């Protein structure tokens, strides 16, 4: 499986970018899980948005209402539409693909630890 992100760049505060992630060879099974994560300089990687095989979507509180995750399974492509960008959104954005983990409660985990494959990242820089 090869995961490749694209679409990063430099924008001013309030601007928009659309990130794309192509996961070649990845199988969209009944328990797939994909997501966008980011890492700013000097900080740990954090989850931005995830989507699973039930189309359950989660967003980090910091991006709710501004970012939208979507997918085109026919193209094996995951997207992240980012609007109203802020300087604190500056980071390298990574795409991950894996399998969601079932909890005994019946719910599922689809976070960084569920990802089996990672891209090399695409840099997003937002200036004020």
């Amino acid at each position: 499986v090869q995961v490749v992100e694209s679409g990063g760049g430099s924008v001013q505060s309030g601007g928009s970018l659309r990130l794309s992630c192509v996961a070649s060879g990845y199988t969209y099974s009944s328990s797939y899980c994909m997501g966008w994560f980011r890492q700013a300089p000097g900080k740990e990687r954090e989850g931005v948005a995830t989507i699973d095989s039930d189309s359950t979507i989660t967003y980090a509180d910091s991006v709710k209402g501004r970012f939208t995750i979507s997918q085109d399974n026919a193209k094996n492509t995951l997207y992240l539409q980012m609007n109203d960008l802020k300087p604190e959104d500056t980071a390298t954005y990574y795409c991950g693909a894996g399998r969601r983990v079932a909890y005994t409660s019946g719910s599922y985990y689809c976070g960084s630890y569920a990802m089996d494959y990672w891209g090399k990242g695409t840099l997003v820089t937002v200036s004020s």
Side-chain angles (χ1 to χ4, degrees):
V1 177
Q2 185 177 21
V3 179
V4 179
E5 306 96 337
S6 62
S10 297
V11 295
Q12 290 190 329
S13 182
S16 298
L17 283 174
R18 187 195 196 201
L19 305 184
S20 299
C21 167
V22 177
S24 304
Y26 177 68
T27 300
Y28 285 78
S29 68
S30 60
S31 59
Y32 80 82
C33 168
M34 295 186 72
W36 290 96
F37 302 80
R38 67 186 181 186
Q39 187 168 19
K43 295 187 177 181
E44 295 186 353
R45 185 176 297 186
E46 64 174 354
V48 176
T50 61
I51 185 168
D52 72 7
S53 49
D54 286 338
S55 296
T56 298
I57 292 174
T58 61
Y59 292 102
D61 288 342
S62 59
V63 306
K64 284 180 180 177
R66 300 187 298 122
F67 291 11
T68 302
I69 189 172
S70 62
Q71 61 188 14
D72 184 337
N73 291 358
K75 297 181 179 180
N76 270 25
T77 303
L78 185 72
Y79 302 99
L80 184 68
Q81 178 66 44
M82 305 185 295
N83 298 327
D84 190 23
L85 283 161
K86 303 176 180 181
E88 51 263 41
D89 295 317
T90 295
T92 298
Y93 284 71
Y94 298 90
C95 175
R99 293 169 60 91
R100 64 183 185 180
V101 179
Y103 291 120
T104 55
S105 62
S107 60
Y108 294 94
Y109 169 79
C110 177
S112 60
Y113 294 109
M115 303 300 160
D116 297 315
Y117 310 102
W118 293 94
K120 295 182 178 180
T122 185
L123 179 62
V124 172
T125 303
V126 184
S127 58
S128 58

